[in-house]
């Protein structure tokens, strides 16, 4: 019987699980351990609600929104033309001789208007537009990152609650095992060593229960910090247990239009616009001036016209063009590298999500059912004296490990699926494109 029981356990592949909260099947002559309900009660706090709350209080979204507004303001600044300059001059005044006082005063009032040449204004606008587009994409990236963080924190909190249920169940089972061991020892059917083993198993189960209670507190606190407020009620167990069936090969991978590629393209567009701006800066601007001069002695006036142009003697703009060109080449290389990285990351994320879904879908398969049946048989056999205590402890340990593996598989699936959604998130449509 012992060999048959061991073979049954060895044939049980470690799987995952939606039935992680299910207690072992009832037996007519056995005391059935009940799965304790979570200490947290009330309506379920859903992941959609968590996402909604996080979107309202997220500092990352607030910062991204401010960056977009700053970029839009920068676009308006880039479109402004240079301000004109009014100059008032007084000559031949407060001197000596005939220039004493204001009798020889010559007052000049002139207006100077800078004229930008070489398309500087349109080049500035192009750079500002590219930066605005990049800020818009970055805001979408911040939103996608926040969604990933919320789902990961929610899944970790849900898995902690599920492990707490398992830990309570195991502590209850360990208590029942200690009572059964004491009965056997008192009846002279077992040595006192069995009672001590049962005590050790109970102590370990209670310690594990305390650890899982702390894990629940920490995971719920972490989620509450992300959403900006504490929340009541258990998490949505249906969401945590839901795993779609996955069949067939992985979906075709196309990084075009994803947030990562949109960001890389926006960086290149900004660098390209900067090259155009650097080239336009090489063309000197003109400053036109016009004014009037009044002569105090004769009370006559005369018009004044001026034209000034800087001489590009020391800085002709070539270095700035070389710098901008190198930065554009770097941005282009990073864009091509991003395409490779995104494709690889999506492929791995698809594989991880599919593998986790396959493991999680095995919850209703033979692994968990076999572990539960083995534990049930071991409990009955132990009470009837057909199995030893070590067989019982081994069966209970296998059941606990199978349930824990089930929770791990569900957690891995939700995290992998969230990561896949983050990688394949589509970029927003930029106005003007």
């Amino acid at each position: 019987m012992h060999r048959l029981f061991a073979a049954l356990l060895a044939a049980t592949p470690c799987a995952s699980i939606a039935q992680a909260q299910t207690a072992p099947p009832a037996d007519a002559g056995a005391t059935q351990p009940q799965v304790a309900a979570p200490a947290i009660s009330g309506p379920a706090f859903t992941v959609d609600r968590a996402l909604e709350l996080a979107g309202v209080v997220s500092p990352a979204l607030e910062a991204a929104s401010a960056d977009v507004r700053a970029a839009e303001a920068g676009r308006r600044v880039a479109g402004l033309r240079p301000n004109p300059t009014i100059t008032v001059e007084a000559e031949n005044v407060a001197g000596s001789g005939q220039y004493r006082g204001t009798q020889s005063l010559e007052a000049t009032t002139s207006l100077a208007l800078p004229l930008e040449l070489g398309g500087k204004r349109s080049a500035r606008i192009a750079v500002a537009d590219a930066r605005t587009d990049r800020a818009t994409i970055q805001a979408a990236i911040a939103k996608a990152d926040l969604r990933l963080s919320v789902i990961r924190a929610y899944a970790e909190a849900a898995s902690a609650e599920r492990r707490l249920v398992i830990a309570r169940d195991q502590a209850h089972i360990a208590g029942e095992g200690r009572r059964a061991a004491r009965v056997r020892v008192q009846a002279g059917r077992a040595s006192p060593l069995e009672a001590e083993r049962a005590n050790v198993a109970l102590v370990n189960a209670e310690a594990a229960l305390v650890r899982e209670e702390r894990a629940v507190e920490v995971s719920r606190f972490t989620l509450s910090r992300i959403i900006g407020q504490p929340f009541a009620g258990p998490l949505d167990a249906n969401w945590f247990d839901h795993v779609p069936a996955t069949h067939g090969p992985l979906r075709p991978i196309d990084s075009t239009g994803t947030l990562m590629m949109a960001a890389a393209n926006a960086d290149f567009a900004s660098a390209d616009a900067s090259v155009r701006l650097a080239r336009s800066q090489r063309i000197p601007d003109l400053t036109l001036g016009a004014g009037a001069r009044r002569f105090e002695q004769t009370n006559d006036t005369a018009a004044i016209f001026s034209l000034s142009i800087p001489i590009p003697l020391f800085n002709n703009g070539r270095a700035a063009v070389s710098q901008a060109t190198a930065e554009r080449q770097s941005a282009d290389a990073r864009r091509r590298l991003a395409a490779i990285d995104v494709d690889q990351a999506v492929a791995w994320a698809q594989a991880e999500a599919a593998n986790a879904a396959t493991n999680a879908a095995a919850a209703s398969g033979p692994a968990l059912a076999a572990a539960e049946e083995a534990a049930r048989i071991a409990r009955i056999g132990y009470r009837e004296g057909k199995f030893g205590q070590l067989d019982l402890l081994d069966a209970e340990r296998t059941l606990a490990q199978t349930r824990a593996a089930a929770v791990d598989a569900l957690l891995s699936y939700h995290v992998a699926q969230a990561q896949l959604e983050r990688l394949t998130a589509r970029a927003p449509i930029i106005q003007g494109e």
Side-chain angles (χ1 to χ4, degrees), residues 192-250:
L193 182 60
E194 289 196 7
E196 293 304 322
R197 288 200 194 102
N199 285 331
V200 172
L202 179 59
V203 170
N204 291 335
E206 290 176 344
L209 177 59
V210 173
R211 290 195 300 269
E212 296 303 335
E213 288 174 345
R214 292 196 187 101
V216 169
E217 292 179 1
V218 172
S219 61
R220 289 176 70 89
F221 172 77
T222 300
L223 181 58
S224 68
R225 291 292 294 164
I226 296 177
I227 65 177
Q229 65 182 51
F231 59 94
L235 300 182
D236 189 355
N238 292 331
W239 174 86
F240 188 69
D241 291 335
H242 176 68
V243 177
T246 56
H247 302 285
L250 301 179

Side-chain angles (χ1 to χ4, degrees), residues 311-349:
I311 300 175
L313 179 61
F314 302 109
N315 181 9
N316 57 13
R318 289 182 180 178
V321 172
S322 298
Q323 178 185 2
T325 301
E327 291 175 349
R328 181 179 62 180
Q329 292 174 347
S330 176
D332 182 52
R334 289 196 299 269
R335 178 176 61 170
R336 289 182 277 112
L337 180 61
I340 299 174
D341 292 341
V342 171
D343 286 344
Q344 291 177 345
V346 170
W348 279 108

Side-chain angles (χ1 to χ4, degrees), residues 366-402:
L368 186 59
E372 290 177 343
E373 179 65 12
R376 187 187 71 85
I377 295 174
R379 295 187 197 107
I380 298 173
Y382 178 69
R383 279 189 292 269
E384 295 178 354
K386 296 179 180 179
F387 294 146
Q389 188 186 40
L390 295 180
D391 295 328
L392 174 62
L393 295 177
D394 188 34
E396 298 292 5
R397 182 170 53 253
T398 300
L399 176 59
Q401 291 174 349
T402 304

Side-chain angles (χ1 to χ4, degrees), residues 20 30 33 51 78 113 117 133 143 168 170 179 196 207 235 244 273 285 297 350-351 357 421:
L51 290 170
L113 180 63
L117 304 179
D133 294 344
K143 186 175 181 179
R168 284 177 177 156
Q170 293 304 120
R179 283 191 289 272
E196 293 304 322
L235 300 182
D285 295 334
Q297 290 181 341
Q350 281 195 34
E421 292 176 357

